[in-house]
Each structure stands twice: as structure tokens, then as C-alpha cells.
Amino acid sequence: MLRTKLNILWDDLRSSLWFRPSLWVIGFSALALALISLDRSLGTMRLEHLEYLEPLIFAAGVDGTRAMLGAISGAMLTVASLSFSIMMVAVVQAANAYSPRLLRHYLADTADQHVLGILLGTFIYSLLVLRVVQGADESNFVPTISVTGAILLSLLSIYAFIYFINHVAHSIEVSSIVTHLRKESEGLVRHLFPEEIGQGGQGEESPSLPDGLWSTIESNHTGYIEAVSADALLKVAKNAGAVLKLEHGIGEYVLQGTPLVTVWPATAHDAALDAACNLTITLGKERTLVQDLHYGARQLVDIALRALSPAVNDPTTAINCIDVLATLLAQIARQPRVSPYRYDEEGNLRVIAPGPTFESMMDLSFSQIRYYGRNDLHCVLRLIEVCADLGYVATG
């Protein structure tokens, strides 16, 4: 359960704009304090004793140092604001052109977050160094090493900003978006839910389910099923000596008070089991790619449908999405089917958990595209071609 909770927490953190930039700000702040301490410890050592370092170390008076640090801090704050504005424009452009569900993808962009962190970190670094510069009325103190560090960080920030402009320009290309979705979905294909829950059943036939009454565990909350804690759910079922059947798959919407899990035998159902089952199933306000393979395909389908709309009329983008969806389907077809019937170490049936299958992914990937793209010859022909290829992969 802890691992699943941590995966969800990490997914939330990496898709936020504050986490990685905060780490950069903290790191640059620590660097500023460390270099200031170094400058103080070397305060009695004059620059003329370090002639070989003179070309590399910033050396100026109090006024020049303050002007330099003030210019760097002001410029970095301005550039950071500009970068944030550019990123928001790219987000709006992608949401309007492709799908509003891409917002999480752009917020989670690692490169954008690192660039914002470098710019804001340089700004904080310059302020921390500026505050220790002492003028003529005090004991003069010009932290030359720290100021030199500020100049080097400003050069790094310039490079980061140039990289940011190039990265944002390419990030709104449809090829970049679908490639990113494909890579994230491929990780889920390699570990299809519910593969991590215990051991799968042998053979293709479904086992006979236990006779007797089943009891219903209702959901304590409302939301989308983000993830299921595999080990915890199996342990709960084993400790209760029961069979737990999940009534909803990953990514489905659950209303509070509706069936979440059914239990056999009914006599095993008590308040403790009710609470434990609700804890092992995490509900959230939106779907994520933590365990939800269907959500990755859903985003690709949304992009294709938007491209096929009369307002956009971009069948090439739709065909690009069809190709990526076919790639994911081919990977699923090559893998052994993951049984929804999960057993413990002793071979007892403990959990029945529906997961993504080739059939469900095929229906989700192509049904709507086939309907809305039926009037576009190239789109229909491409669908026929990839279906023939998938048939060869599935039977080969």
C-alpha cells in the first residue's frame, strides 16, 4: 500500500509547478550561504595574493557589486515571469488544438520545471549575496567569490532560457505529444494491472466461482480509481479468508455509497474489512497514468478526434495517433494475457480484478476514430491497414 501511495504522491508532485523549482531554489540558497561563508573565511586574503585567479574572479567596489547583483536579480525575475507566460501560452495552445487533458502533461514537463527552478534560484542567490555586501560606513565586505558565482549562474540561466524557448517550440508539435504519451503508456503495458496482485490463474478458462451469498462493500468516497495497492489488497483478502471482487476497473468513476468491492463469503464482511478495502483503493479527482493504461489511449483518441473535427480537419494528425495506438496494441498482443483471477501462495483464489485487455483497448482505440473518420478515405484505409497488421501480430 505504501508503494502505491508513494507512486501517486510522486505523480502529483512531478505534475506540479512548485516541487522541482523549489528544490532548485533551496539548492541555490544553500550554495549562496556556503560561498558567503567561504568569502568571510578568506576575508583577510587580498586579491593581490591570488593573481593567478584574478581573470576568473569578479573584483569591483561596493557600488559596482551592488549594481551587478541588482541587475542579475532583476533580470532573472523578469525572465522567469516571461518563461512562465510562454509556458502558459503553450499550454492553452495545446489544450485548444489537441486536448484539454494534456494540461497535466505540460505541468509535469521536467525541462520546463528545471528551467523555472534555475531562473528563480539565480534570483534568490543574487538577493542573498546582495544583502551581505557592506558599504564604506561599515567594515567593507565584498564577497568576490559569491559574486563570481552569481555571474556564472546568470550565464547558466541564459543558456537555460534559450533551451526553454527551443523546447517549448517543439513541445507543442503533435509528434512530441504522442511520443510522450506512447512512452508513458508503454511502461504500463509492460506491467499490466492486475499482474502485481498475487499469482495469475493457469489456462484460459475461468475458474468456477464460490457458491453462496456475496456481500457488498460500498465506496466511502467519490472519484476516479487512480490505483489499487496490489500487495495490500491480497493481504486483506488472505487475512479475511475471503474472495474480493473489484466492481470497477482502474480509471472508472465511482460514486460514494455505490458498490466498490464484493466479498465472499458474506460472513467475512465486517467493519474492519470494509475500511481496509477502501484504503487499498485510491480515488482521485482525475484520472492519471499511475496504473491507468486506458487513460493513455484515451488521450491519444481525443487528439485524433479533435484532428478529425470539421473545425480542424487534420487527418494526418489522426493517422499519427492511429499508428501510436497500433504500437501499444501490438505490444499488448505480444504479451501473455493477464488473468483477472489472482491467487495467493497456497493457490487459493483471493482477488478478482478486471484489467485492460486487448479487446477493451482495441475498442477504446478505434471505435470512435472509425465513426468520426468514416468520411476520410486516408483515415479509413489506415485503420484497415493497422487492423490487418495487428491481426498478423496477434496470430503470429
Side-chain angles (χ1 to χ4, degrees), residues 141-307:
F141 177 64
V142 177
T144 55
I145 297 178
S146 302
V147 178
T148 303
I151 296 174
L152 294 177
L153 291 180
S154 66
L155 295 176
L156 173 63
S157 299
I158 292 173
Y159 170 79
F161 182 67
I162 296 173
Y163 169 80
F164 172 80
I165 297 297
N166 177 75
H167 177 75
V168 170
H170 287 289
S171 67
I172 59 177
E173 294 178 349
V174 66
S175 57
S176 299
I177 296 173
V178 298
T179 299
H180 172 80
L181 293 174
R182 175 181 61 81
K183 289 180 178 179
E184 286 207 336
S185 299
E186 283 177 345
L188 299 178
V189 170
R190 289 190 290 267
H191 303 284
L192 281 178
F193 180 84
E195 186 178 30
E196 295 182 352
I197 303 178
Q199 304 170 4
Q202 300 296 324
E204 295 292 330
E205 295 185 1
S206 303
S208 57
L209 298 180
D211 296 326
L213 295 176
W214 292 66
S215 181
T216 300
I217 295 178
E218 298 178 349
S219 174
N220 292 339
H221 304 282
T222 295
Y224 294 97
I225 297 181
E226 293 185 354
V228 175
S229 301
D231 296 337
L233 185 65
L234 183 66
K235 184 178 180 180
V236 167
K238 186 175 180 180
N239 291 341
V243 178
L244 303 179
K245 180 182 178 182
L246 303 184
E247 294 298 323
H248 301 276
I250 302 294
E252 294 186 15
Y253 193 74
V254 181
L255 292 174
Q256 183 178 5
T258 58
L260 182 66
V261 179
T262 50
V263 184
W264 181 93
T267 53
H269 184 192
D270 54 19
L273 183 62
D274 193 301
C277 287
N278 272 277
L279 283 175
T280 60
I281 301 175
T282 303
L283 302 183
K285 62 181 180 180
E286 60 181 342
R287 299 174 69 177
T288 67
L289 284 171
V290 176
Q291 291 182 347
D292 190 359
L293 177 60
H294 282 162
Y295 186 51
R298 178 74 263 171
Q299 293 181 78
L300 290 167
V301 172
D302 286 347
I303 295 173
L305 296 181
R306 183 69 64 91

Side-chain angles (χ1 to χ4, degrees), residues 127-145:
L127 288 184
L128 291 177
V129 176
L130 179 60
R131 62 183 291 272
V132 302
V133 177
Q134 297 177 357
D137 296 336
E138 310 160 2
S139 56
N140 284 1
F141 177 64
V142 177
T144 55
I145 297 178

